Amino acid sequence: MSTMASQQHMVTAAQMGVQQAAVLQQSQTQQQQQQQQQQLSQQQDFDPVHRFKMLIPLLKDSLQNVMTIASLNFGHNAAIDNGRTTEKGNDAAVQRFDKSLEEFYALCDQLELCLRLAHECLSQSIDSTKHSPNLVPTATKPDTVQTESLSYSQYLSMIKSQISCAKDIHNALLECSKKIAGKGQGACN
């Protein structure tokens, strides 16, 4: 009897171990999914085009708010001018136009920054393709190798030539600055 009980105990323990492993695997999978969602949301926060798309509805609402407040204030001032309303208590009910306009301008500024950042990203991308038009295939995606892509050794030689060119420009600028500094000191003596 004791051997059967011990075998049943071992089977029960093994089943519990399998269940615990499954629960552990599920929790790890959930944590990985949460991390991926957080990374995706962070990437979207930094993407100027995505941010621009998110700000457009807010800008529309803000513009609608500005127009509504302006129309209410205009109606209120017209009523005062026509002598229909003489109570100063109604002035508290009229909302401040300057605050709603400031909110609208703040959203416009954010949109402008998003557009400038997107333009700068596009310019950098264009410059990148201009100065390094062919891609280097990565080891993680060997199936996407294109015929016009560079081999790693070709890529290294291109980078070395770019570094050499940058050093030549740097040295030329240093030499020019030394000549200018030398002429300035000679003129002072």
Side-chain angles (χ1 to χ4, degrees), residues 26-40:
Q26 286 177 346
S27 67
Q28 288 175 346
T29 304
Q30 289 174 350
Q31 288 175 352
Q32 289 175 350
Q33 288 174 349
Q34 288 174 352
Q35 288 174 349
Q36 289 173 350
Q37 288 174 353
Q38 288 174 350
Q39 289 174 348
L40 181 62

Side-chain angles (χ1 to χ4, degrees), residues 32-57:
Q32 289 175 350
Q33 288 174 349
Q34 288 174 352
Q35 288 174 349
Q36 289 173 350
Q37 288 174 353
Q38 288 174 350
Q39 289 174 348
L40 181 62
S41 69
Q42 288 174 351
Q43 288 173 351
Q44 289 175 346
D45 288 344
F46 293 122
D47 182 19
V49 175
H50 179 74
R51 179 129 172 89
F52 180 84
K53 288 178 181 179
M54 287 176 44
L55 288 174
I56 290 295

Side-chain angles (χ1 to χ4, degrees), residues 6-8 14 29 61 83 88 93 104 112 150 152 164-165 171 187:
S6 65
Q7 287 178 350
Q8 286 178 348
T29 304
D61 293 341
K88 297 294 180 184
F104 176 76
E112 180 183 9
L150 296 174
Y152 188 69
S164 173
C165 182
N171 291 337

Side-chain angles (χ1 to χ4, degrees), residues 132 134-137 149-165:
S132 178
N134 299 325
L135 300 175
V136 177
S149 63
L150 296 174
S151 69
Y152 188 69
S153 61
Q154 291 171 327
Y155 176 73
L156 283 178
S157 66
M158 181 186 66
I159 295 299
K160 287 178 182 178
S161 68
Q162 289 177 350
I163 291 171
S164 173
C165 182

Side-chain angles (χ1 to χ4, degrees), residues 59 62-63 66 99-109:
L59 184 70
S62 180
L63 180 60
V66 166
K99 286 187 178 183
S100 62
L101 190 62
E102 186 66 31
E103 178 186 330
F104 176 76
Y105 281 140
L107 286 170
C108 286
D109 290 342

